[in-house]
Amino acid sequence: MAPRKVLMLEFNELCPALLDRWIASGDLPHFARLRATSDSFVTTPDVEDSALLEPWIQWYSTHTGLAYDQHRVFHLTDGARAPHTDIYRALIAAGRTVGSFSSMNVAPFASPGSFFAADPWTEQGDAFPPALNTYNRFVSGQVREYSNASASTGLADQANFLAFLLRHGLSAGTVSAIARQLASEKLSDPRLSYRRVAILDRLQADVFCALYRRQRPDYASFFINSTAHLQHSYWRHLDPEAFTVRPDADEIGVYGDAIRFGYRAMDALLGRFMTLAERQGALLIFMTALSQQPFLRHEEMGGQHFHRLHDIEGFLDRMDIARLSVDPTMTHQYMARFETTAQRDAARERIAALRMESGRRLFDFADKAEEEAQLYFGCQIATRTEADATVIDDATGATLRFGELLYRIDAIKSGRHHPDGALWIRTGSGVRHAGQASILDVFPTLLDHFGLGMPEGPERRGSSLLPRLGMQRAAA
């Protein structure tokens, strides 16, 4: 008998403790039903160093079964070029069909009967089938520039995006949700625009479900990040007593329910995916990779703020920096690519010449390997900085206004990563396991489920969880 198909839901950074809280209060009925019919685990990451507790590292470890010290994929854009065998390639090599829809830091693939859409931060026009590029490129632009009021999308791109959605699963429910969202911003409070992240999730689900029903791959993953974003931005509104810098009553009135809103929106999507998996006869797995907790560093200086370039291309042109390409990645960071390492080094030196009057450099850098002609950089000014603050260019002696180059993102960082994650496998058992599982166990568990052995290459340190699953697995 062929193994059951698997539908993997990657709901990034949902917190086991908040899931417990809001399941108990009745806010998350679908999560409650899923946990009651699943083997559920709290997961541990593959690293102890908090600097490595990043989703683009942890999801890459999950997808490959390799720990960070084995794969060394450190940046969000590294996974697309890394050579390791991940679950998608392992299954394709065994003649299976797969789908990856926005899963983080996955290398692109193109295989008959399969589909691939990169995560919004690493999108390079390499979707498969190629028609997905219309959708993925538009979404990527919106996600990367969501905070930038000066960024705009042309009418032609908007029209192409809408036409794509109409042909690829746009639902009446999503259209209605868009109308309600816009009405709430206009008639109630424009600050409720933070809830637009749930609209993107609905659009993602519409397109994914249409693809999934049409192609019915043996294994497919679906990734969304909206609630992780809300937690990073609004944890101090959820739990103001934990912070020194506390929002006022007006802000709490607007944003105090933002995180619970995100969980409830994901709960509604989960109900949809549970129905999809049941109708397609697929085993449903829910995973978060890691979670979050209050971010309390920098409270003494007013909390950590982020500043972002108005126009990354215009900035590099202004600095006379030639490059092959440059892309925003996360929040205040960018990845630039060059023809040669000499060009990379010259670009770093030129950007490093910018400093505040205090002497603090405007940008910091995360070095790549010496042989790679790439530069990962971001604004390192974490204190609230006004637009008229002076920036000095040591290369030319010129002075600039801070606001000419950068703008401040409104939200103060409030959440940071926590090592605990959730892994629920819908076996029908309802067993809540006391012992933790490693994220490195997921790769061998999936291979075991499909009757496959480990690929050649570095030894995988995880173990299959199948022997630990409840007795009702066969009947689930």
Side-chain angles (χ1 to χ4, degrees):
M1 182 180 297
R4 292 176 66 190
K5 299 177 184 298
V6 173
L7 174 55
M8 172 71 81
L9 300 182
E10 299 176 341
F11 287 6
N12 192 39
E13 298 176 24
L14 296 194
C15 303
L18 292 183
L19 287 167
D20 288 345
R21 179 198 301 188
W22 288 323
I23 286 174
S25 67
D27 285 293
L28 306 177
H30 299 297
F31 277 109
R33 184 162 64 97
L34 177 61
R35 191 174 66 183
T37 54
S38 296
D39 278 82
S40 56
F41 300 86
V42 173
T43 60
T44 59
D46 68 312
V47 294
E48 295 183 1
D49 184 349
S50 61
L52 301 175
L53 195 63
E54 297 286 3
W56 48 88
I57 297 176
Q58 296 305 294
W59 283 115
Y60 191 85
S61 298
T62 299
H63 297 147
T64 62
L66 297 171
Y68 172 75
D69 66 352
Q70 295 174 294
H71 63 66
R72 311 300 292 183
V73 168
F74 182 71
H75 292 132
L76 180 53
T77 54
D78 289 351
R81 289 169 294 281
H84 311 104
T85 299
D86 57 19
I87 187 61
Y88 309 98
R89 280 158 182 74
L91 291 174
I92 288 172
R96 307 287 185 179
T97 54
V98 299
S100 174
F101 203 88
S102 202
S103 288
M104 187 171 268
N105 226 2
V106 172
F109 56 82
S111 179
S114 298
F115 57 85
F116 169 79
D119 67 70
W121 306 277
T122 60
E123 186 277 329
Q124 291 292 322
D126 46 18
F128 182 83
L132 278 174
N133 282 314
T134 298
Y135 172 86
N136 219 34
R137 180 134 290 180
F138 185 92
V139 168
S140 175
Q142 299 301 305
V143 169
R144 292 177 179 183
E145 299 290 353
Y146 79 93
S147 64
N148 192 347
S150 63
S152 62
T153 306
L155 291 177
D157 288 338
Q158 294 178 31
N160 288 337
F161 180 68
L162 177 59
F164 177 92
L165 292 174
L166 291 171
R167 297 192 303 270
H168 294 84
L170 179 64
S171 66
T174 297
V175 173
S176 177
I178 293 171
R180 291 195 303 272
Q181 173 62 36
L182 295 178
S184 72
E185 294 175 28
K186 186 173 182 62
L187 301 176
S188 181
D189 192 324
R191 291 175 294 179
L192 293 176
S193 60
Y194 79 82
R195 294 179 177 175
R196 291 185 182 188
V197 293
I199 299 297
L200 174 59
D201 287 353
R202 293 187 66 120
L203 292 173
Q204 294 267 98
D206 284 351
V207 177
F208 172 83
C209 289
L211 273 171
Y212 189 86
R213 285 191 295 266
R214 182 166 65 247
Q215 299 192 208
R216 302 187 64 196
D218 296 303
Y219 175 81
S221 61
F222 175 85
F223 176 96
I224 46 178
N225 187 63
S226 60
T227 300
H229 162 73
L230 295 175
Q231 290 174 161
H232 278 303
S233 299
Y234 302 118
W235 201 295
R236 72 181 63 240
H237 299 80
L238 172 72
D239 183 19
E241 296 302 315
F243 296 86
T244 303
V245 180
R246 297 174 182 172
D248 60 28
D250 178 58
E251 281 191 51
I252 292 175
V254 176
Y255 301 114
D257 198 44
I259 294 176
R260 188 171 69 115
F261 165 82
Y263 277 75
R264 294 179 68 181
M266 285 191 165
D267 184 76
L269 283 183
L270 176 63
R272 181 177 178 183
F273 282 117
M274 290 171 73
T275 299
L276 176 68
E278 289 163 1
R279 290 178 177 174
Q280 298 295 328
L283 174 66
L284 187 71
I285 302 177
F286 157 70
M287 187 174 179
T288 72
L290 64 167
S291 60
Q292 288 191 34
Q293 59 189 317
F295 178 77
L296 301 176
R297 287 177 57 203
H298 306 309
E299 288 295 288
E300 75 287 350
M301 65 180 197
Q304 179 168 335
H305 294 260
F306 292 108
H307 300 91
R308 201 163 179 275
L309 289 164
H310 292 288
D311 177 3
I312 177 59
E313 297 279 3
F315 169 75
L316 294 180
D317 288 343
R318 182 174 188 163
M319 297 290 107
D320 292 323
I321 295 174
R323 69 277 178 190
L324 293 176
S325 65
V326 63
D327 292 300
T329 55
M330 296 294 280
T331 314
H332 61 303
Q333 298 171 318
Y334 305 87
M335 174 65 82
R337 298 175 180 84
F338 304 89
E339 288 187 355
T340 66
T341 56
Q343 287 182 334
R344 176 204 64 197
D345 294 341
R348 176 179 173 134
E349 182 178 358
R350 182 68 187 92
I351 294 170
L354 298 174
R355 63 176 174 86
M356 305 298 293
E357 279 189 301
S358 64
R360 185 169 180 80
R361 297 296 173 185
L362 210 57
F363 295 92
D364 61 357
F365 305 89
D367 286 330
K368 299 284 290 179
E370 283 299 314
E371 69 275 8
E372 293 187 352
Q374 300 180 129
L375 185 65
Y376 200 85
F377 66 99
C379 178
Q380 66 171 333
I381 306 302
T383 55
R384 183 185 178 100
T385 302
E386 298 305 323
D388 60 358
T390 298
V391 174
I392 299 171
D393 186 346
D394 285 336
T396 65
T399 58
L400 311 167
R401 290 177 57 254
F402 185 85
E404 288 180 59
L405 303 176
L406 300 120
Y407 66 94
R408 185 178 65 251
I409 296 175
D410 287 338
I412 305 173
K413 183 174 181 178
S414 299
R416 68 182 179 95
H417 297 131
H418 187 282
D420 287 354
L423 173 64
W424 301 355
I425 304 173
R426 198 178 191 202
T427 60
S429 72
V431 175
R432 299 183 67 179
H433 293 263
Q436 290 185 315
S438 168
I439 63 168
L440 299 180
D441 294 337
V442 174
F443 183 81
T445 299
L446 291 170
L447 291 183
D448 195 8
H449 171 83
F450 285 103
L452 302 175
M454 287 291 174
E456 294 182 359
E459 179 184 359
R460 266 66 175 185
R461 299 170 185 168
S463 302
S464 173
L465 296 173
L466 291 197
R468 297 175 61 182
L469 300 186
M471 296 302 294
Q472 297 184 49
R473 176 176 178 270

